[in-house]
Amino acid sequence: MKEATVAPTYARFDYIVIGGGTSGCALAATLSHNANVLVLERGSSPYDNPTAMDKENLINTLVNVTPNSWSQPFISEDGVYNIRARVLGGDSVLNAGFYSRAEKDYVEEAEWEMEKVEAAYEWVERKLVFEPQVMGWQSAFKNGLLEAGVIPYNGFTYDHINGTKIGRYDLRRSWP
């Protein structure tokens, strides 16, 4: 990894991937087996500070919105305060590894081709996503959400649906 300011003024790549999120990293890793690939990511690397990804530091990582942090605050179009990632690995680095598909209404509103979207999801899920073994702290977290009224409990699913669910991905599985 290098800062863009120290990159050579001329370089040749077979592919340039914009965004080092869940899909961008998996795509770049796959393409790099047979091609030269450049990944452009606006944020830093989560590997610079591995303790920030520890479950004990989840809240601290989310609330740290200083200019060099992984979390960037924003307000959605409907006025909801939220956090998005500015780090290699994307939002999945910040959200405890949860992965979900976009709602069908979102895909339609974005005017994306549903067949291509489905194919992309299937590719990412083959490369990255797996059903986790639920550990004690995850059960406690899930039970806390349910007790706080985040219902219904939806179990393990890739669908982006309201309620409490279990989801996980492991970006490292995509790298050789």
Side-chain angles (χ1 to χ4, degrees), residues 106-126:
Y106 179 85
V107 173
E108 290 171 6
E109 187 177 318
E111 298 180 356
W112 294 339
E113 294 180 39
M114 187 59 79
E115 301 80 35
K116 290 183 179 179
V117 170
E118 289 292 329
Y121 282 137
E122 290 170 11
W123 182 85
V124 167
E125 290 158 9
R126 251 189 339 271

mmCIF file of all heavy atoms in Angstrom, residues 106-126:
data_model
loop_
_atom_site.group_PDB
_atom_site.id
_atom_site.type_symbol
_atom_site.label_atom_id
_atom_site.label_comp_id
_atom_site.label_asym_id
_atom_site.label_seq_id
_atom_site.Cartn_x
_atom_site.Cartn_y
_atom_site.Cartn_z
ATOM 1 N N TYR A 106 -34.207 -0.227 -3.529
ATOM 2 C CA TYR A 106 -33.001 0.573 -3.730
ATOM 3 C C TYR A 106 -32.388 0.265 -5.099
ATOM 4 O O TYR A 106 -31.990 1.169 -5.831
ATOM 5 C CB TYR A 106 -31.990 0.288 -2.615
ATOM 6 C CG TYR A 106 -30.700 1.052 -2.769
ATOM 7 C CD1 TYR A 106 -30.584 2.345 -2.289
ATOM 8 C CD2 TYR A 106 -29.604 0.487 -3.411
ATOM 9 C CE1 TYR A 106 -29.413 3.060 -2.436
ATOM 10 C CE2 TYR A 106 -28.412 1.190 -3.557
ATOM 11 C CZ TYR A 106 -28.336 2.471 -3.066
ATOM 12 O OH TYR A 106 -27.174 3.176 -3.221
ATOM 13 N N VAL A 107 -32.317 -1.021 -5.437
ATOM 14 C CA VAL A 107 -31.741 -1.436 -6.719
ATOM 15 C C VAL A 107 -32.569 -0.866 -7.868
ATOM 16 O O VAL A 107 -32.021 -0.355 -8.846
ATOM 17 C CB VAL A 107 -31.653 -2.980 -6.803
ATOM 18 C CG1 VAL A 107 -31.216 -3.429 -8.184
ATOM 19 C CG2 VAL A 107 -30.698 -3.503 -5.741
ATOM 20 N N GLU A 108 -33.877 -0.923 -7.738
ATOM 21 C CA GLU A 108 -34.753 -0.377 -8.781
ATOM 22 C C GLU A 108 -34.602 1.132 -8.898
ATOM 23 O O GLU A 108 -34.518 1.671 -10.000
ATOM 24 C CB GLU A 108 -36.204 -0.753 -8.488
ATOM 25 C CG GLU A 108 -36.477 -2.229 -8.691
ATOM 26 C CD GLU A 108 -37.858 -2.651 -8.201
ATOM 27 O OE1 GLU A 108 -38.664 -1.781 -7.802
ATOM 28 O OE2 GLU A 108 -38.122 -3.873 -8.214
ATOM 29 N N GLU A 109 -34.550 1.831 -7.752
ATOM 30 C CA GLU A 109 -34.408 3.286 -7.769
ATOM 31 C C GLU A 109 -33.073 3.712 -8.384
ATOM 32 O O GLU A 109 -32.990 4.726 -9.076
ATOM 33 C CB GLU A 109 -34.523 3.825 -6.343
ATOM 34 C CG GLU A 109 -34.564 5.340 -6.269
ATOM 35 C CD GLU A 109 -34.739 5.834 -4.844
ATOM 36 O OE1 GLU A 109 -35.554 5.244 -4.101
ATOM 37 O OE2 GLU A 109 -34.059 6.814 -4.483
ATOM 38 N N ALA A 110 -32.024 2.919 -8.152
ATOM 39 C CA ALA A 110 -30.715 3.215 -8.730
ATOM 40 C C ALA A 110 -30.655 2.866 -10.215
ATOM 41 O O ALA A 110 -29.676 3.177 -10.886
ATOM 42 C CB ALA A 110 -29.629 2.445 -7.978
ATOM 43 N N GLU A 111 -31.708 2.200 -10.720
ATOM 44 C CA GLU A 111 -31.814 1.796 -12.119
ATOM 45 C C GLU A 111 -30.694 0.840 -12.523
ATOM 46 O O GLU A 111 -30.159 0.914 -13.624
ATOM 47 C CB GLU A 111 -31.886 3.011 -13.041
ATOM 48 C CG GLU A 111 -33.099 3.883 -12.783
ATOM 49 C CD GLU A 111 -33.191 5.093 -13.689
ATOM 50 O OE1 GLU A 111 -32.275 5.335 -14.504
ATOM 51 O OE2 GLU A 111 -34.200 5.811 -13.576
ATOM 52 N N TRP A 112 -30.362 -0.067 -11.593
ATOM 53 C CA TRP A 112 -29.382 -1.101 -11.896
ATOM 54 C C TRP A 112 -30.100 -2.298 -12.501
ATOM 55 O O TRP A 112 -31.285 -2.513 -12.258
ATOM 56 C CB TRP A 112 -28.661 -1.548 -10.622
ATOM 57 C CG TRP A 112 -27.799 -0.490 -10.003
ATOM 58 C CD1 TRP A 112 -27.284 0.613 -10.591
ATOM 59 C CD2 TRP A 112 -27.361 -0.458 -8.649
ATOM 60 N NE1 TRP A 112 -26.543 1.337 -9.705
ATOM 61 C CE2 TRP A 112 -26.578 0.703 -8.494
ATOM 62 C CE3 TRP A 112 -27.545 -1.282 -7.568
ATOM 63 C CZ2 TRP A 112 -25.978 1.049 -7.299
ATOM 64 C CZ3 TRP A 112 -26.946 -0.942 -6.370
ATOM 65 C CH2 TRP A 112 -26.171 0.210 -6.242
ATOM 66 N N GLU A 113 -29.380 -3.086 -13.262
ATOM 67 C CA GLU A 113 -29.952 -4.290 -13.854
ATOM 68 C C GLU A 113 -29.954 -5.395 -12.804
ATOM 69 O O GLU A 113 -28.893 -5.817 -12.333
ATOM 70 C CB GLU A 113 -29.144 -4.717 -15.073
ATOM 71 C CG GLU A 113 -29.231 -3.722 -16.225
ATOM 72 C CD GLU A 113 -28.411 -4.177 -17.416
ATOM 73 O OE1 GLU A 113 -28.399 -5.390 -17.709
ATOM 74 O OE2 GLU A 113 -27.786 -3.302 -18.041
ATOM 75 N N MET A 114 -31.150 -5.859 -12.448
ATOM 76 C CA MET A 114 -31.295 -6.824 -11.358
ATOM 77 C C MET A 114 -30.474 -8.091 -11.586
ATOM 78 O O MET A 114 -29.877 -8.622 -10.646
ATOM 79 C CB MET A 114 -32.775 -7.179 -11.160
ATOM 80 C CG MET A 114 -33.031 -8.037 -9.935
ATOM 81 S SD MET A 114 -32.497 -7.290 -8.375
ATOM 82 C CE MET A 114 -33.832 -6.166 -8.098
ATOM 83 N N GLU A 115 -30.407 -8.567 -12.826
ATOM 84 C CA GLU A 115 -29.654 -9.795 -13.089
ATOM 85 C C GLU A 115 -28.174 -9.607 -12.766
ATOM 86 O O GLU A 115 -27.529 -10.495 -12.207
ATOM 87 C CB GLU A 115 -29.803 -10.236 -14.557
ATOM 88 C CG GLU A 115 -31.225 -10.490 -15.004
ATOM 89 C CD GLU A 115 -31.983 -9.201 -15.353
ATOM 90 O OE1 GLU A 115 -31.381 -8.244 -15.888
ATOM 91 O OE2 GLU A 115 -33.186 -9.156 -15.060
ATOM 92 N N LYS A 116 -27.630 -8.440 -13.126
ATOM 93 C CA LYS A 116 -26.219 -8.175 -12.848
ATOM 94 C C LYS A 116 -25.980 -7.987 -11.358
ATOM 95 O O LYS A 116 -24.951 -8.413 -10.822
ATOM 96 C CB LYS A 116 -25.743 -6.953 -13.634
ATOM 97 C CG LYS A 116 -25.663 -7.221 -15.122
ATOM 98 C CD LYS A 116 -25.130 -6.033 -15.878
ATOM 99 C CE LYS A 116 -25.051 -6.352 -17.367
ATOM 100 N NZ LYS A 116 -24.562 -5.226 -18.150
ATOM 101 N N VAL A 117 -26.918 -7.343 -10.680
ATOM 102 C CA VAL A 117 -26.805 -7.161 -9.235
ATOM 103 C C VAL A 117 -26.815 -8.519 -8.538
ATOM 104 O O VAL A 117 -25.980 -8.793 -7.673
ATOM 105 C CB VAL A 117 -27.939 -6.255 -8.703
ATOM 106 C CG1 VAL A 117 -27.981 -6.252 -7.181
ATOM 107 C CG2 VAL A 117 -27.771 -4.836 -9.241
ATOM 108 N N GLU A 118 -27.747 -9.388 -8.919
ATOM 109 C CA GLU A 118 -27.823 -10.729 -8.326
ATOM 110 C C GLU A 118 -26.531 -11.507 -8.573
ATOM 111 O O GLU A 118 -26.019 -12.175 -7.671
ATOM 112 C CB GLU A 118 -29.020 -11.508 -8.892
ATOM 113 C CG GLU A 118 -30.363 -10.993 -8.425
ATOM 114 C CD GLU A 118 -30.609 -11.214 -6.947
ATOM 115 O OE1 GLU A 118 -30.093 -12.208 -6.390
ATOM 116 O OE2 GLU A 118 -31.314 -10.396 -6.347
ATOM 117 N N ALA A 119 -26.009 -11.425 -9.790
ATOM 118 C CA ALA A 119 -24.758 -12.124 -10.111
ATOM 119 C C ALA A 119 -23.610 -11.589 -9.262
ATOM 120 O O ALA A 119 -22.766 -12.357 -8.779
ATOM 121 C CB ALA A 119 -24.443 -11.993 -11.593
ATOM 122 N N ALA A 120 -23.565 -10.274 -9.049
ATOM 123 C CA ALA A 120 -22.510 -9.676 -8.226
ATOM 124 C C ALA A 120 -22.626 -10.140 -6.776
ATOM 125 O O ALA A 120 -21.622 -10.481 -6.146
ATOM 126 C CB ALA A 120 -22.577 -8.153 -8.306
ATOM 127 N N TYR A 121 -23.847 -10.153 -6.246
ATOM 128 C CA TYR A 121 -24.037 -10.632 -4.880
ATOM 129 C C TYR A 121 -23.583 -12.077 -4.743
ATOM 130 O O TYR A 121 -22.897 -12.432 -3.783
ATOM 131 C CB TYR A 121 -25.498 -10.530 -4.465
ATOM 132 C CG TYR A 121 -25.945 -9.139 -4.083
ATOM 133 C CD1 TYR A 121 -27.162 -8.643 -4.523
ATOM 134 C CD2 TYR A 121 -25.167 -8.328 -3.273
ATOM 135 C CE1 TYR A 121 -27.590 -7.372 -4.174
ATOM 136 C CE2 TYR A 121 -25.579 -7.062 -2.923
ATOM 137 C CZ TYR A 121 -26.799 -6.593 -3.367
ATOM 138 O OH TYR A 121 -27.201 -5.341 -3.025
ATOM 139 N N GLU A 122 -23.976 -12.905 -5.686
ATOM 140 C CA GLU A 122 -23.596 -14.318 -5.618
ATOM 141 C C GLU A 122 -22.083 -14.478 -5.659
ATOM 142 O O GLU A 122 -21.517 -15.307 -4.942
ATOM 143 C CB GLU A 122 -24.267 -15.092 -6.753
ATOM 144 C CG GLU A 122 -25.771 -15.220 -6.556
ATOM 145 C CD GLU A 122 -26.499 -15.757 -7.774
ATOM 146 O OE1 GLU A 122 -25.830 -16.231 -8.722
ATOM 147 O OE2 GLU A 122 -27.736 -15.697 -7.777
ATOM 148 N N TRP A 123 -21.402 -13.662 -6.467
ATOM 149 C CA TRP A 123 -19.946 -13.727 -6.565
ATOM 150 C C TRP A 123 -19.310 -13.343 -5.226
ATOM 151 O O TRP A 123 -18.438 -14.050 -4.711
ATOM 152 C CB TRP A 123 -19.475 -12.812 -7.696
ATOM 153 C CG TRP A 123 -18.002 -12.841 -7.914
ATOM 154 C CD1 TRP A 123 -17.301 -13.736 -8.667
ATOM 155 C CD2 TRP A 123 -17.038 -11.934 -7.375
ATOM 156 N NE1 TRP A 123 -15.962 -13.441 -8.627
ATOM 157 C CE2 TRP A 123 -15.779 -12.346 -7.848
ATOM 158 C CE3 TRP A 123 -17.120 -10.820 -6.553
ATOM 159 C CZ2 TRP A 123 -14.615 -11.678 -7.506
ATOM 160 C CZ3 TRP A 123 -15.949 -10.153 -6.214
ATOM 161 C CH2 TRP A 123 -14.721 -10.586 -6.691
ATOM 162 N N VAL A 124 -19.749 -12.214 -4.651
ATOM 163 C CA VAL A 124 -19.184 -11.767 -3.374
ATOM 164 C C VAL A 124 -19.448 -12.804 -2.289
ATOM 165 O O VAL A 124 -18.573 -13.129 -1.488
ATOM 166 C CB VAL A 124 -19.762 -10.392 -2.973
ATOM 167 C CG1 VAL A 124 -19.434 -10.054 -1.527
ATOM 168 C CG2 VAL A 124 -19.241 -9.304 -3.893
ATOM 169 N N GLU A 125 -20.651 -13.352 -2.278
ATOM 170 C CA GLU A 125 -20.990 -14.323 -1.245
ATOM 171 C C GLU A 125 -20.194 -15.616 -1.388
ATOM 172 O O GLU A 125 -19.848 -16.245 -0.396
ATOM 173 C CB GLU A 125 -22.500 -14.570 -1.257
ATOM 174 C CG GLU A 125 -23.245 -13.334 -0.753
ATOM 175 C CD GLU A 125 -24.691 -13.239 -1.183
ATOM 176 O OE1 GLU A 125 -25.240 -14.202 -1.763
ATOM 177 O OE2 GLU A 125 -25.285 -12.165 -0.949
ATOM 178 N N ARG A 126 -19.862 -16.013 -2.596
ATOM 179 C CA ARG A 126 -19.009 -17.181 -2.803
ATOM 180 C C ARG A 126 -17.592 -16.919 -2.312
ATOM 181 O O ARG A 126 -16.933 -17.790 -1.763
ATOM 182 C CB ARG A 126 -18.960 -17.532 -4.303
ATOM 183 C CG ARG A 126 -19.669 -18.765 -4.686
ATOM 184 C CD ARG A 126 -19.429 -19.220 -6.121
ATOM 185 N NE ARG A 126 -18.959 -18.260 -7.100
ATOM 186 C CZ ARG A 126 -19.747 -17.479 -7.855
ATOM 187 N NH1 ARG A 126 -21.045 -17.535 -7.734
ATOM 188 N NH2 ARG A 126 -19.225 -16.658 -8.731
#
